[in-house]
Amino acid sequence: MRFCPNCGAAVVKRVPPGDSLPRYVCDSCGDIHYQNPKLVVGTVPEWDGRLLLCRRAIEPRYGYWTLPAGFMENDETTAQAALRETLEETGAQVEVAAPFSMISVPHVNQVHLFYRARLLDLEFRSGAESLEVALFEEARVPWREIAFRTVGLTLRHWFADRRNGAFGFHTGDVAAR
Amino acid sequence: MRFCPNCGAAVVKRVPPGDSLPRYVCDSCGDIHYQNPKLVVGTVPEWDGRLLLCRRAIEPRYGYWTLPAGFMENDETTAQAALRETLEETGAQVEVAAPFSMISVPHVNQVHLFYRARLLDLEFRSGAESLEVALFEEARVPWREIAFRTVGLTLRHWFADRRNGAFGFHTGDVAAR
């Protein structure tokens, strides 16, 4: 059972007039409570050909390595979200450049967006959500301990583009396994 | 006053432990109700150098012209959302190509994402949310009657890129007026 955030009455799931999908509808106050995908935004922070990864101190995927990223918040832009998440998770100051990858993850209702970024110095440290933070050259990336497929895809695209001398914008999606 | 969708108790807005922003927290069941930006996804549908626009039959901006776009739904990818919204609002079948613009609108907690698209035929019509649907060459675009700044920016980028013979990926943000 679900309740209306607006008035506290019980809500039912049904297709509202003029709509095509079932929604949580409140018959008491008339509110319709839409549920939509969330943006997870982060960076691919580079220092001299090496990338900054964090080992997760939280679930899901505790102990696995990831790029700094997290849920975009209200009142910010995607680039601001990328900068904020990088600072929160790695302590690193970065210059955010162009968007680099955007990958839909429909089975968890998320879209993952990564920007290229340049570390401004080597002042990084693990934060509340990271066990360790470290720079990796391609041959040293812990490929078998990457937390999420969107991160693995983004890292592979980044190293391939760097070898080719031109960074693109990569899009796609990952399906439930 | 707000209520918990999970248990119906009244919620309070405060910063949860380990967080940095105020959230709606339920002291009865412990749920935290995050609020995040929404993705509005659409297309720039082309037929022989002309673009398909819709005149809005709904608020906000009733009567103004826009590109086909709408809120991304759960369980779909961004490209699927672009295709679906285009079909719903214009009746048009399109082939969705590369992402073309991504513009943050932080004062309304939205990110607008437009894909380039090619109309497969001229079978378009106004839907429940459109008063009219029509193709416009650049000189005929109703520039003073465009519904949203993200749409105006996207149209300008599209015609400029077409003149230059190369389509890019354009990002940015618009602030509250």
Side-chain angles (χ1 to χ4, degrees), chain B:
Chain B
M1 193 172 204
R2 301 273 296 176
F3 299 88
C4 175
N6 188 46
C7 75
V11 293
V12 292
K13 204 162 192 180
R14 62 177 163 76
V15 180
D19 203 338
S20 57
L21 290 172
R23 315 285 183 184
Y24 288 109
V25 178
C26 179
D27 288 321
S28 179
C29 76
D31 259 25
I32 302 172
H33 304 287
Y34 297 95
Q35 299 191 302
N36 302 90
K38 293 188 180 191
L39 269 162
V40 172
V41 183
T43 61
V44 189
E46 180 198 8
W47 179 273
D48 195 21
R50 291 179 297 162
L51 298 184
L52 194 67
L53 301 181
C54 337
R55 200 154 75 86
R56 290 173 64 82
I58 52 172
E59 295 292 352
R61 308 294 277 160
Y62 180 99
Y64 284 76
W65 291 90
T66 189
L67 288 164
F71 289 110
M72 185 178 174
E73 300 279 3
N74 280 353
D75 303 317
E76 67 184 358
T77 67
T78 51
Q80 287 167 346
L83 189 75
R84 177 184 53 72
E85 286 290 344
T86 305
L87 183 61
E88 284 177 10
E89 300 194 352
T90 70
Q93 299 281 354
V94 294
E95 181 180 79
V96 174
F100 180 68
S101 68
M102 183 177 67
I103 304 171
S104 294
V105 196
H107 61 285
V108 293
N109 303 315
Q110 293 177 1
V111 176
H112 291 198
L113 173 68
F114 290 95
Y115 282 80
R116 283 198 292 131
R118 194 174 60 85
L119 282 178
L120 296 181
D121 55 44
L122 291 174
E123 302 297 311
F124 52 81
R125 47 106 196 112
S126 51
E129 299 183 358
S130 320
L131 299 170
E132 335 170 34
V133 175
L135 283 168
F136 292 90
E137 58 183 271
E138 184 171 8
R140 301 254 176 167
V141 169
W143 292 109
R144 298 171 70 165
E145 295 162 49
I146 296 296
F148 305 108
R149 280 180 288 165
T150 57
V151 171
L153 286 167
T154 298
L155 293 173
R156 284 177 207 284
H157 282 308
W158 194 92
F159 286 113
D161 281 11
R162 184 164 192 268
R163 271 195 302 280
N164 295 332
F167 288 97
F169 178 58
H170 302 272
T171 62
D173 48 87
V174 296
R177 284 189 206 268

Side-chain angles (χ1 to χ4, degrees), chain A residues 33-64:
Chain A
H33 303 287
Y34 296 94
Q35 299 190 302
N36 303 88
K38 294 188 179 189
L39 268 163
V40 172
V41 184
T43 61
V44 189
E46 181 199 7
W47 179 272
D48 194 20
R50 291 179 297 162
L51 298 184
L52 195 66
L53 301 180
C54 339
R55 200 153 74 87
R56 289 173 65 82
I58 52 172
E59 294 293 353
R61 306 294 276 160
Y62 179 98
Y64 284 77

Side-chain angles (χ1 to χ4, degrees), chain A residues 64-78:
Chain A
Y64 284 77
W65 290 90
T66 189
L67 288 164
F71 290 110
M72 185 178 173
E73 301 279 3
N74 280 352
D75 304 316
E76 67 185 358
T77 67
T78 51

Side-chain angles (χ1 to χ4, degrees), chain A residues 99-118:
Chain A
F100 180 68
S101 68
M102 182 176 67
I103 305 170
S104 295
V105 195
H107 61 286
V108 293
N109 303 316
Q110 293 178 1
V111 176
H112 291 198
L113 172 68
F114 290 96
Y115 282 79
R116 284 197 292 131
R118 193 174 61 84

